[in-house]
Amino acid sequence: MVTLKQLAKELNVSISTVSKALNNSEEIGEETVKRVKELAELYNYTPNKVALSLKQSKTKTIGVIIPNILNHFLAKVLFGIEREATNLGYNIITCISNESLEKEKESLLLLANGSVDGFILSVAEETQIKNEIDHFKKTISQGLPIVMFDRVAHDVLCDKVIVDDFDATYNTTKKLLDEEGRKNIAFISNIGELSVGKLRERGYNKAILEHNNQEPLVLKIKKKDDHQKKIKAFFKKNKKLDAVIAADSSSGIISINTAVNLGLKVPKDISVLGFASKADSNHSLPRLTTIRQHAKVIGANAAQMLIDRLQKMHLNEDVKTKIVKTSLVKTKSMLK
Amino acid sequence: MVTLKQLAKELNVSISTVSKALNNSEEIGEETVKRVKELAELYNYTPNKVALSLKQSKTKTIGVIIPNILNHFLAKVLFGIEREATNLGYNIITCISNESLEKEKESLLLLANGSVDGFILSVAEETQIKNEIDHFKKTISQGLPIVMFDRVAHDVLCDKVIVDDFDATYNTTKKLLDEEGRKNIAFISNIGELSVGKLRERGYNKAILEHNNQEPLVLKIKKKDDHQKKIKAFFKKNKKLDAVIAADSSSGIISINTAVNLGLKVPKDISVLGFASKADSNHSLPRLTTIRQHAKVIGANAAQMLIDRLQKMHLNEDVKTKIVKTSLVKTKSMLK
DNA sequence: GTGAAAGCGCTAACAA
DNA sequence: TTGTTAGCGCTTTCAC
């Protein structure tokens, strides 16, 4: 890499002259500016990012901590974050907590050494189970703002981007009950431990209970379970099932494939829908009706909020929570 | 963040004394070391990463350029890279090229300003189609080593981690022909434009041609096609189909679901298998037989290779190509 | 209009 | 054993 020093030497001017010329300072003579810029162009000069960061005590880099990159939703949020951050002139350093509290803490510490200006993260499963939040608070008090998305820690005072999980399942369940006249709606979830999983379940529960005081019918699947087996057994046990709402994409896809496999007609005999993305819906026949979370939008919002805060750090503004509403994309896996 | 300066002031010693004490230099007196370390501990001192990078002209950061983070295989490789890099004390800055040549070039340029010590990347689709490689060569000649994985540019002299794509389909096709006695094997691909897609197709072709000079039967799907419709039509047109090899996970899953949907018995009437991961195989009933690419291993290898090279930059070693062999994980979607 | 110098936080050669 | 100094690459104030 060429440095200002080298350019200065070759041009027989001082380093500061070169610096000013390249930064279009009014101080420098027209002719000099031209000479400097030409040589800089020739050598493909770019200011050294590290030196700049040190000088200005800001890195223009965001630390992103993702619990699980293999989760399609989270990957898509990451995509949204990356794109928005890049557009706004920021880089992202990605850490994967792998749902582990320990790794989450480490990542936070590791990057809080001047590597990044702030964080965007979704809380790890273990962290949510143990309900630990000190590491977040500590980071924030060090002057590194955090934006949480999707899985958030409610007791941490920071910006948040969330989904209307409760409303989404509440409304959808009501729709199945009222508009389609479904009587036996089950809720299937692989994410019972997560804040969002709980919210989704509550939305479903409320709608069911409100409807002639019916009993909720919930299947919770654990990570180590054989996903397919569990769902098949559930279907066999509950012969009257006429609708399924899945809290996660895998449960949705497996449910619909299982229903078909057991000879049920979708959507005549049974409606199936779930939180999932477009790509997922291709993995079943008929396609799965999906509750879309607009992952990319969530990511973009999170990036915007963080960068906005970084640029107004002195103002000490109040924290905000942004809700990105889900939308129901209907396919032939439901009646109406 | 606390700095050496502040510690030094509080302890009434010089900055260098503090620095040396914290770095366990033999020079400093036992007592002083103790005092320094205690105060550093108290204040949670961590060396400023940016200053360190500037001083040592290395960032301990790797630039990773991924064409598409929503691709499960690529996401998994990223996971492998992140984990290995973290273990070896490196951070990763992630850029997503979104299969665009322009974005790939930009990312390379953007990070070649001292932000990273080297790159790990998989070539964008557009880049492979246009066969451009100058930006890679330029980066390498600037002293920033590159490790390419999966989709590589053969004419660029750099370390590579690849999959035995050709052999995988060649051997699998032969197995279907010889062991299962399949007569009409089709190859379905959504990635015809990629180097790996082409290799997979060639492996299949060779095996088919070698077998009594049969004709290959290939379905190529484009990004904008209706994936499900295309495959359904293909099945209907080729009634004699008794095996499908899919070059990508979506094609595999949709093929098997379509076959079942059309009333074919899997694997009695037809065997279906494809390049995919374990999670994907859950999305069909029966589960899809998968050619596993060991994405995490690929990622880990790439990280190791790059870091190894970074640490031996002075030696100017020859470039290496590492082949990570696929393995066939059989399920009930094939006979033997 | 141009340049010298200080300083961001750190390490390391050298001096004391 | 400890401290001084220079320097990594850059910006910016202040002097010329």
Side-chain angles (χ1 to χ4, degrees), chain A residues 13-14 16-17 20 27-29 32 55:
Chain A
V13 293
S14 76
S16 46
T17 302
K20 286 171 189 165
E27 296 179 25
I28 306 297
T32 316
K55 180 73 191 171

PDB file of all heavy atoms in Angstrom, chain A residues 13-14 16-17 20 27-29 32 55, chain C residues 1-10:
ATOM      1  N   VAL A  13       6.876  17.531  -1.560  1.00  0.00           N
ATOM      2  CA  VAL A  13       6.057  18.404  -0.706  1.00  0.00           C
ATOM      3  C   VAL A  13       5.916  17.717   0.648  1.00  0.00           C
ATOM      4  O   VAL A  13       6.398  16.593   0.822  1.00  0.00           O
ATOM      5  CB  VAL A  13       4.653  18.667  -1.298  1.00  0.00           C
ATOM      6  CG1 VAL A  13       4.736  19.481  -2.575  1.00  0.00           C
ATOM      7  CG2 VAL A  13       3.934  17.359  -1.537  1.00  0.00           C
ATOM      8  N   SER A  14       5.255  18.372   1.578  1.00  0.00           N
ATOM      9  CA  SER A  14       5.125  17.750   2.892  1.00  0.00           C
ATOM     10  C   SER A  14       3.920  16.815   2.942  1.00  0.00           C
ATOM     11  O   SER A  14       3.017  16.899   2.106  1.00  0.00           O
ATOM     12  CB  SER A  14       4.954  18.821   3.957  1.00  0.00           C
ATOM     13  OG  SER A  14       3.650  19.317   3.892  1.00  0.00           O
ATOM     14  N   SER A  16       1.542  16.791   5.049  1.00  0.00           N
ATOM     15  CA  SER A  16       0.270  17.468   5.309  1.00  0.00           C
ATOM     16  C   SER A  16      -0.294  18.096   4.043  1.00  0.00           C
ATOM     17  O   SER A  16      -1.500  18.124   3.845  1.00  0.00           O
ATOM     18  CB  SER A  16       0.412  18.490   6.424  1.00  0.00           C
ATOM     19  OG  SER A  16       1.558  19.263   6.247  1.00  0.00           O
ATOM     20  N   THR A  17       0.582  18.562   3.191  1.00  0.00           N
ATOM     21  CA  THR A  17       0.105  19.124   1.923  1.00  0.00           C
ATOM     22  C   THR A  17      -0.644  18.048   1.129  1.00  0.00           C
ATOM     23  O   THR A  17      -1.732  18.292   0.604  1.00  0.00           O
ATOM     24  CB  THR A  17       1.288  19.646   1.093  1.00  0.00           C
ATOM     25  OG1 THR A  17       1.985  20.616   1.859  1.00  0.00           O
ATOM     26  CG2 THR A  17       0.799  20.264  -0.197  1.00  0.00           C
ATOM     27  N   LYS A  20      -3.988  17.275   2.733  1.00  0.00           N
ATOM     28  CA  LYS A  20      -4.974  18.329   2.493  1.00  0.00           C
ATOM     29  C   LYS A  20      -5.430  18.329   1.035  1.00  0.00           C
ATOM     30  O   LYS A  20      -6.621  18.471   0.745  1.00  0.00           O
ATOM     31  CB  LYS A  20      -4.385  19.682   2.853  1.00  0.00           C
ATOM     32  CG  LYS A  20      -4.284  19.906   4.345  1.00  0.00           C
ATOM     33  CD  LYS A  20      -3.502  21.172   4.643  1.00  0.00           C
ATOM     34  CE  LYS A  20      -3.212  21.303   6.119  1.00  0.00           C
ATOM     35  NZ  LYS A  20      -2.173  22.318   6.367  1.00  0.00           N
ATOM     36  N   GLU A  27      -7.060  25.272   1.299  1.00  0.00           N
ATOM     37  CA  GLU A  27      -5.742  25.872   1.549  1.00  0.00           C
ATOM     38  C   GLU A  27      -4.746  25.663   0.422  1.00  0.00           C
ATOM     39  O   GLU A  27      -3.859  26.483   0.222  1.00  0.00           O
ATOM     40  CB  GLU A  27      -5.148  25.268   2.822  1.00  0.00           C
ATOM     41  CG  GLU A  27      -5.930  25.560   4.088  1.00  0.00           C
ATOM     42  CD  GLU A  27      -5.257  24.894   5.288  1.00  0.00           C
ATOM     43  OE1 GLU A  27      -4.036  24.649   5.243  1.00  0.00           O
ATOM     44  OE2 GLU A  27      -5.970  24.592   6.251  1.00  0.00           O
ATOM     45  N   ILE A  28      -4.898  24.542  -0.258  1.00  0.00           N
ATOM     46  CA  ILE A  28      -3.839  24.137  -1.185  1.00  0.00           C
ATOM     47  C   ILE A  28      -4.055  24.688  -2.599  1.00  0.00           C
ATOM     48  O   ILE A  28      -5.177  24.771  -3.083  1.00  0.00           O
ATOM     49  CB  ILE A  28      -3.760  22.598  -1.234  1.00  0.00           C
ATOM     50  CG1 ILE A  28      -3.599  22.037   0.184  1.00  0.00           C
ATOM     51  CG2 ILE A  28      -2.604  22.145  -2.112  1.00  0.00           C
ATOM     52  CD1 ILE A  28      -2.343  22.448   0.890  1.00  0.00           C
ATOM     53  N   GLY A  29      -2.955  25.038  -3.242  1.00  0.00           N
ATOM     54  CA  GLY A  29      -3.023  25.604  -4.580  1.00  0.00           C
ATOM     55  C   GLY A  29      -3.555  24.635  -5.617  1.00  0.00           C
ATOM     56  O   GLY A  29      -3.332  23.419  -5.536  1.00  0.00           O
ATOM     57  N   THR A  32      -0.997  22.318  -7.248  1.00  0.00           N
ATOM     58  CA  THR A  32      -0.512  21.265  -6.353  1.00  0.00           C
ATOM     59  C   THR A  32      -1.557  20.164  -6.218  1.00  0.00           C
ATOM     60  O   THR A  32      -1.240  18.973  -6.282  1.00  0.00           O
ATOM     61  CB  THR A  32      -0.218  21.860  -4.953  1.00  0.00           C
ATOM     62  OG1 THR A  32       0.473  23.086  -5.129  1.00  0.00           O
ATOM     63  CG2 THR A  32       0.598  20.901  -4.142  1.00  0.00           C
ATOM     64  N   LYS A  55      -6.910   7.411  14.424  1.00  0.00           N
ATOM     65  CA  LYS A  55      -6.942   8.866  14.512  1.00  0.00           C
ATOM     66  C   LYS A  55      -8.322   9.378  14.937  1.00  0.00           C
ATOM     67  O   LYS A  55      -8.448  10.240  15.796  1.00  0.00           O
ATOM     68  CB  LYS A  55      -6.601   9.433  13.126  1.00  0.00           C
ATOM     69  CG  LYS A  55      -6.587  10.934  13.047  1.00  0.00           C
ATOM     70  CD  LYS A  55      -5.372  11.497  13.730  1.00  0.00           C
ATOM     71  CE  LYS A  55      -5.498  12.989  13.896  1.00  0.00           C
ATOM     72  NZ  LYS A  55      -4.466  13.546  14.730  1.00  0.00           N
TER      73      LYS A  55
ATOM     74  P    DG C   1      -3.937  30.229  -1.693  1.00  0.00           P
ATOM     75  OP1  DG C   1      -4.281  30.926  -2.921  1.00  0.00           O
ATOM     76  OP2  DG C   1      -4.925  29.721  -0.752  1.00  0.00           O
ATOM     77  O5'  DG C   1      -2.775  29.195  -1.975  1.00  0.00           O
ATOM     78  C5'  DG C   1      -1.720  29.513  -2.854  1.00  0.00           C
ATOM     79  C4'  DG C   1      -0.501  28.863  -2.296  1.00  0.00           C
ATOM     80  O4'  DG C   1      -0.256  29.384  -0.952  1.00  0.00           O
ATOM     81  C3'  DG C   1      -0.599  27.340  -2.151  1.00  0.00           C
ATOM     82  O3'  DG C   1       0.651  26.790  -2.534  1.00  0.00           O
ATOM     83  C2'  DG C   1      -0.880  27.136  -0.660  1.00  0.00           C
ATOM     84  C1'  DG C   1      -0.116  28.303  -0.045  1.00  0.00           C
ATOM     85  N9   DG C   1      -0.661  28.768   1.231  1.00  0.00           N
ATOM     86  C8   DG C   1      -1.953  29.052   1.548  1.00  0.00           C
ATOM     87  N7   DG C   1      -2.106  29.455   2.778  1.00  0.00           N
ATOM     88  C5   DG C   1      -0.825  29.433   3.310  1.00  0.00           C
ATOM     89  C6   DG C   1      -0.367  29.759   4.616  1.00  0.00           C
ATOM     90  O6   DG C   1      -1.017  30.154   5.580  1.00  0.00           O
ATOM     91  N1   DG C   1       1.014  29.586   4.724  1.00  0.00           N
ATOM     92  C2   DG C   1       1.824  29.164   3.722  1.00  0.00           C
ATOM     93  N2   DG C   1       3.127  29.063   4.001  1.00  0.00           N
ATOM     94  N3   DG C   1       1.414  28.850   2.495  1.00  0.00           N
ATOM     95  C4   DG C   1       0.078  29.006   2.373  1.00  0.00           C
ATOM     96  P    DT C   2       0.959  25.261  -2.570  1.00  0.00           P
ATOM     97  OP1  DT C   2       1.934  25.013  -3.635  1.00  0.00           O
ATOM     98  OP2  DT C   2      -0.320  24.534  -2.518  1.00  0.00           O
ATOM     99  O5'  DT C   2       1.716  25.066  -1.201  1.00  0.00           O
ATOM    100  C5'  DT C   2       3.062  25.582  -1.084  1.00  0.00           C
ATOM    101  C4'  DT C   2       3.574  25.294   0.307  1.00  0.00           C
ATOM    102  O4'  DT C   2       2.719  25.899   1.286  1.00  0.00           O
ATOM    103  C3'  DT C   2       3.642  23.809   0.684  1.00  0.00           C
ATOM    104  O3'  DT C   2       5.021  23.467   0.758  1.00  0.00           O
ATOM    105  C2'  DT C   2       2.932  23.709   2.021  1.00  0.00           C
ATOM    106  C1'  DT C   2       2.857  25.160   2.479  1.00  0.00           C
ATOM    107  N1   DT C   2       1.700  25.522   3.342  1.00  0.00           N
ATOM    108  C2   DT C   2       1.932  25.904   4.641  1.00  0.00           C
ATOM    109  O2   DT C   2       3.039  25.965   5.144  1.00  0.00           O
ATOM    110  N3   DT C   2       0.806  26.227   5.357  1.00  0.00           N
ATOM    111  C4   DT C   2      -0.508  26.207   4.897  1.00  0.00           C
ATOM    112  O4   DT C   2      -1.438  26.517   5.629  1.00  0.00           O
ATOM    113  C5   DT C   2      -0.678  25.798   3.530  1.00  0.00           C
ATOM    114  C7   DT C   2      -2.046  25.735   2.943  1.00  0.00           C
ATOM    115  C6   DT C   2       0.427  25.470   2.813  1.00  0.00           C
ATOM    116  P    DG C   3       5.483  22.040   1.231  1.00  0.00           P
ATOM    117  OP1  DG C   3       6.812  21.760   0.655  1.00  0.00           O
ATOM    118  OP2  DG C   3       4.360  21.109   1.035  1.00  0.00           O
ATOM    119  O5'  DG C   3       5.692  22.290   2.784  1.00  0.00           O
ATOM    120  C5'  DG C   3       6.604  23.302   3.199  1.00  0.00           C
ATOM    121  C4'  DG C   3       6.729  23.277   4.715  1.00  0.00           C
ATOM    122  O4'  DG C   3       5.489  23.730   5.310  1.00  0.00           O
ATOM    123  C3'  DG C   3       6.984  21.878   5.298  1.00  0.00           C
ATOM    124  O3'  DG C   3       7.884  22.040   6.376  1.00  0.00           O
ATOM    125  C2'  DG C   3       5.617  21.453   5.801  1.00  0.00           C
ATOM    126  C1'  DG C   3       5.046  22.785   6.269  1.00  0.00           C
ATOM    127  N9   DG C   3       3.602  22.858   6.291  1.00  0.00           N
ATOM    128  C8   DG C   3       2.737  22.495   5.277  1.00  0.00           C
ATOM    129  N7   DG C   3       1.472  22.702   5.577  1.00  0.00           N
ATOM    130  C5   DG C   3       1.515  23.231   6.868  1.00  0.00           C
ATOM    131  C6   DG C   3       0.457  23.642   7.698  1.00  0.00           C
ATOM    132  O6   DG C   3      -0.754  23.633   7.468  1.00  0.00           O
ATOM    133  N1   DG C   3       0.922  24.115   8.931  1.00  0.00           N
ATOM    134  C2   DG C   3       2.250  24.187   9.289  1.00  0.00           C
ATOM    135  N2   DG C   3       2.515  24.663  10.494  1.00  0.00           N
ATOM    136  N3   DG C   3       3.254  23.803   8.499  1.00  0.00           N
ATOM    137  C4   DG C   3       2.813  23.330   7.313  1.00  0.00           C
ATOM    138  P    DA C   4       8.713  20.845   6.934  1.00  0.00           P
ATOM    139  OP1  DA C   4      10.063  20.863   6.341  1.00  0.00           O
ATOM    140  OP2  DA C   4       7.879  19.637   6.816  1.00  0.00           O
ATOM    141  O5'  DA C   4       8.818  21.233   8.464  1.00  0.00           O
ATOM    142  C5'  DA C   4       8.562  22.579   8.895  1.00  0.00           C
ATOM    143  C4'  DA C   4       8.088  22.574  10.348  1.00  0.00           C
ATOM    144  O4'  DA C   4       6.634  22.596  10.389  1.00  0.00           O
ATOM    145  C3'  DA C   4       8.509  21.339  11.141  1.00  0.00           C
ATOM    146  O3'  DA C   4       8.787  21.784  12.460  1.00  0.00           O
ATOM    147  C2'  DA C   4       7.284  20.435  11.063  1.00  0.00           C
ATOM    148  C1'  DA C   4       6.158  21.461  11.087  1.00  0.00           C
ATOM    149  N9   DA C   4       4.945  21.061  10.384  1.00  0.00           N
ATOM    150  C8   DA C   4       4.841  20.445   9.155  1.00  0.00           C
ATOM    151  N7   DA C   4       3.601  20.247   8.755  1.00  0.00           N
ATOM    152  C5   DA C   4       2.847  20.762   9.798  1.00  0.00           C
ATOM    153  C6   DA C   4       1.457  20.859   9.987  1.00  0.00           C
ATOM    154  N6   DA C   4       0.558  20.428   9.099  1.00  0.00           N
ATOM    155  N1   DA C   4       1.014  21.428  11.124  1.00  0.00           N
ATOM    156  C2   DA C   4       1.918  21.869  12.023  1.00  0.00           C
ATOM    157  N3   DA C   4       3.255  21.844  11.948  1.00  0.00           N
ATOM    158  C4   DA C   4       3.648  21.269  10.799  1.00  0.00           C
ATOM    159  P    DA C   5       9.244  20.744  13.589  1.00  0.00           P
ATOM    160  OP1  DA C   5      10.097  21.508  14.526  1.00  0.00           O
ATOM    161  OP2  DA C   5       9.741  19.491  12.966  1.00  0.00           O
ATOM    162  O5'  DA C   5       7.855  20.447  14.299  1.00  0.00           O
ATOM    163  C5'  DA C   5       7.010  21.546  14.670  1.00  0.00           C
ATOM    164  C4'  DA C   5       5.871  21.013  15.537  1.00  0.00           C
ATOM    165  O4'  DA C   5       4.775  20.607  14.687  1.00  0.00           O
ATOM    166  C3'  DA C   5       6.242  19.782  16.373  1.00  0.00           C
ATOM    167  O3'  DA C   5       5.557  19.869  17.600  1.00  0.00           O
ATOM    168  C2'  DA C   5       5.751  18.623  15.535  1.00  0.00           C
ATOM    169  C1'  DA C   5       4.476  19.238  14.937  1.00  0.00           C
ATOM    170  N9   DA C   5       4.050  18.642  13.678  1.00  0.00           N
ATOM    171  C8   DA C   5       4.818  18.040  12.718  1.00  0.00           C
ATOM    172  N7   DA C   5       4.138  17.616  11.677  1.00  0.00           N
ATOM    173  C5   DA C   5       2.831  17.968  11.987  1.00  0.00           C
ATOM    174  C6   DA C   5       1.620  17.800  11.292  1.00  0.00           C
ATOM    175  N6   DA C   5       1.539  17.204  10.092  1.00  0.00           N
ATOM    176  N1   DA C   5       0.503  18.264  11.878  1.00  0.00           N
ATOM    177  C2   DA C   5       0.598  18.860  13.073  1.00  0.00           C
ATOM    178  N3   DA C   5       1.668  19.081  13.819  1.00  0.00           N
ATOM    179  C4   DA C   5       2.757  18.599  13.211  1.00  0.00           C
ATOM    180  P    DA C   6       5.892  18.886  18.788  1.00  0.00           P
ATOM    181  OP1  DA C   6       6.595  19.665  19.817  1.00  0.00           O
ATOM    182  OP2  DA C   6       6.517  17.655  18.234  1.00  0.00           O
ATOM    183  O5'  DA C   6       4.440  18.530  19.329  1.00  0.00           O
ATOM    184  C5'  DA C   6       3.376  19.489  19.160  1.00  0.00           C
ATOM    185  C4'  DA C   6       2.041  18.754  19.193  1.00  0.00           C
ATOM    186  O4'  DA C   6       1.703  18.298  17.863  1.00  0.00           O
ATOM    187  C3'  DA C   6       2.043  17.510  20.089  1.00  0.00           C
ATOM    188  O3'  DA C   6       0.803  17.470  20.775  1.00  0.00           O
ATOM    189  C2'  DA C   6       2.198  16.365  19.100  1.00  0.00           C
ATOM    190  C1'  DA C   6       1.400  16.914  17.922  1.00  0.00           C
ATOM    191  N9   DA C   6       1.718  16.319  16.624  1.00  0.00           N
ATOM    192  C8   DA C   6       2.950  15.929  16.155  1.00  0.00           C
ATOM    193  N7   DA C   6       2.921  15.444  14.926  1.00  0.00           N
ATOM    194  C5   DA C   6       1.590  15.539  14.577  1.00  0.00           C
ATOM    195  C6   DA C   6       0.894  15.193  13.401  1.00  0.00           C
ATOM    196  N6   DA C   6       1.491  14.668  12.324  1.00  0.00           N
ATOM    197  N1   DA C   6      -0.437  15.409  13.378  1.00  0.00           N
ATOM    198  C2   DA C   6      -1.034  15.945  14.453  1.00  0.00           C
ATOM    199  N3   DA C   6      -0.487  16.302  15.620  1.00  0.00           N
ATOM    200  C4   DA C   6       0.835  16.072  15.611  1.00  0.00           C
ATOM    201  P    DG C   7       0.646  16.600  22.107  1.00  0.00           P
ATOM    202  OP1  DG C   7       0.039  17.453  23.146  1.00  0.00           O
ATOM    203  OP2  DG C   7       1.930  15.909  22.341  1.00  0.00           O
ATOM    204  O5'  DG C   7      -0.425  15.503  21.702  1.00  0.00           O
ATOM    205  C5'  DG C   7      -1.566  15.877  20.944  1.00  0.00           C
ATOM    206  C4'  DG C   7      -2.133  14.642  20.297  1.00  0.00           C
ATOM    207  O4'  DG C   7      -1.496  14.429  19.013  1.00  0.00           O
ATOM    208  C3'  DG C   7      -1.893  13.359  21.117  1.00  0.00           C
ATOM    209  O3'  DG C   7      -3.093  12.620  21.190  1.00  0.00           O
ATOM    210  C2'  DG C   7      -0.847  12.613  20.314  1.00  0.00           C
ATOM    211  C1'  DG C   7      -1.210  13.041  18.904  1.00  0.00           C
ATOM    212  N9   DG C   7      -0.183  12.850  17.907  1.00  0.00           N
ATOM    213  C8   DG C   7       1.180  12.867  18.066  1.00  0.00           C
ATOM    214  N7   DG C   7       1.834  12.632  16.968  1.00  0.00           N
ATOM    215  C5   DG C   7       0.841  12.447  16.017  1.00  0.00           C
ATOM    216  C6   DG C   7       0.928  12.151  14.633  1.00  0.00           C
ATOM    217  O6   DG C   7       1.935  11.996  13.952  1.00  0.00           O
ATOM    218  N1   DG C   7      -0.328  12.038  14.046  1.00  0.00           N
ATOM    219  C2   DG C   7      -1.524  12.191  14.712  1.00  0.00           C
ATOM    220  N2   DG C   7      -2.633  12.044  13.987  1.00  0.00           N
ATOM    221  N3   DG C   7      -1.625  12.464  16.002  1.00  0.00           N
ATOM    222  C4   DG C   7      -0.413  12.579  16.583  1.00  0.00           C
ATOM    223  P    DC C   8      -3.314  11.635  22.457  1.00  0.00           P
ATOM    224  OP1  DC C   8      -4.016  12.393  23.516  1.00  0.00           O
ATOM    225  OP2  DC C   8      -2.033  10.963  22.741  1.00  0.00           O
ATOM    226  O5'  DC C   8      -4.311  10.556  21.878  1.00  0.00           O
ATOM    227  C5'  DC C   8      -5.429  10.866  21.077  1.00  0.00           C
ATOM    228  C4'  DC C   8      -5.636   9.735  20.097  1.00  0.00           C
ATOM    229  O4'  DC C   8      -4.807   9.957  18.950  1.00  0.00           O
ATOM    230  C3'  DC C   8      -5.184   8.381  20.641  1.00  0.00           C
ATOM    231  O3'  DC C   8      -6.284   7.734  21.274  1.00  0.00           O
ATOM    232  C2'  DC C   8      -4.748   7.630  19.388  1.00  0.00           C
ATOM    233  C1'  DC C   8      -4.500   8.731  18.341  1.00  0.00           C
ATOM    234  N1   DC C   8      -3.101   8.838  17.832  1.00  0.00           N
ATOM    235  C2   DC C   8      -2.852   8.795  16.460  1.00  0.00           C
ATOM    236  O2   DC C   8      -3.803   8.644  15.687  1.00  0.00           O
ATOM    237  N3   DC C   8      -1.572   8.911  16.004  1.00  0.00           N
ATOM    238  C4   DC C   8      -0.574   9.080  16.882  1.00  0.00           C
ATOM    239  N4   DC C   8       0.660   9.190  16.383  1.00  0.00           N
ATOM    240  C5   DC C   8      -0.810   9.124  18.284  1.00  0.00           C
ATOM    241  C6   DC C   8      -2.066   9.006  18.707  1.00  0.00           C
ATOM    242  P    DG C   9      -6.116   7.185  22.780  1.00  0.00           P
ATOM    243  OP1  DG C   9      -7.463   6.794  23.225  1.00  0.00           O
ATOM    244  OP2  DG C   9      -5.325   8.142  23.553  1.00  0.00           O
ATOM    245  O5'  DG C   9      -5.253   5.878  22.589  1.00  0.00           O
ATOM    246  C5'  DG C   9      -5.814   4.753  21.945  1.00  0.00           C
ATOM    247  C4'  DG C   9      -4.751   3.684  21.810  1.00  0.00           C
ATOM    248  O4'  DG C   9      -3.720   4.171  20.936  1.00  0.00           O
ATOM    249  C3'  DG C   9      -4.061   3.314  23.129  1.00  0.00           C
ATOM    250  O3'  DG C   9      -4.141   1.919  23.269  1.00  0.00           O
ATOM    251  C2'  DG C   9      -2.646   3.826  22.952  1.00  0.00           C
ATOM    252  C1'  DG C   9      -2.467   3.795  21.443  1.00  0.00           C
ATOM    253  N9   DG C   9      -1.490   4.743  20.912  1.00  0.00           N
ATOM    254  C8   DG C   9      -1.216   5.999  21.392  1.00  0.00           C
ATOM    255  N7   DG C   9      -0.296   6.622  20.701  1.00  0.00           N
ATOM    256  C5   DG C   9       0.066   5.727  19.705  1.00  0.00           C
ATOM    257  C6   DG C   9       1.007   5.843  18.665  1.00  0.00           C
ATOM    258  O6   DG C   9       1.745   6.797  18.401  1.00  0.00           O
ATOM    259  N1   DG C   9       1.051   4.696  17.869  1.00  0.00           N
ATOM    260  C2   DG C   9       0.284   3.589  18.074  1.00  0.00           C
ATOM    261  N2   DG C   9       0.462   2.583  17.224  1.00  0.00           N
ATOM    262  N3   DG C   9      -0.601   3.454  19.042  1.00  0.00           N
ATOM    263  C4   DG C   9      -0.675   4.558  19.823  1.00  0.00           C
ATOM    264  P    DC C  10      -3.344   1.104  24.382  1.00  0.00           P
ATOM    265  OP1  DC C  10      -4.098  -0.102  24.710  1.00  0.00           O
ATOM    266  OP2  DC C  10      -2.932   2.026  25.445  1.00  0.00           O
ATOM    267  O5'  DC C  10      -2.062   0.652  23.563  1.00  0.00           O
ATOM    268  C5'  DC C  10      -2.215  -0.314  22.535  1.00  0.00           C
ATOM    269  C4'  DC C  10      -0.937  -0.454  21.760  1.00  0.00           C
ATOM    270  O4'  DC C  10      -0.514   0.855  21.349  1.00  0.00           O
ATOM    271  C3'  DC C  10       0.247  -0.996  22.560  1.00  0.00           C
ATOM    272  O3'  DC C  10       0.309  -2.403  22.378  1.00  0.00           O
ATOM    273  C2'  DC C  10       1.449  -0.315  21.944  1.00  0.00           C
ATOM    274  C1'  DC C  10       0.863   0.781  21.063  1.00  0.00           C
ATOM    275  N1   DC C  10       1.445   2.114  21.307  1.00  0.00           N
ATOM    276  C2   DC C  10       2.459   2.565  20.475  1.00  0.00           C
ATOM    277  O2   DC C  10       2.867   1.834  19.565  1.00  0.00           O
ATOM    278  N3   DC C  10       2.990   3.785  20.676  1.00  0.00           N
ATOM    279  C4   DC C  10       2.536   4.564  21.673  1.00  0.00           C
ATOM    280  N4   DC C  10       3.077   5.770  21.817  1.00  0.00           N
ATOM    281  C5   DC C  10       1.505   4.119  22.542  1.00  0.00           C
ATOM    282  C6   DC C  10       0.994   2.903  22.333  1.00  0.00           C
TER     283       DC C  10
END
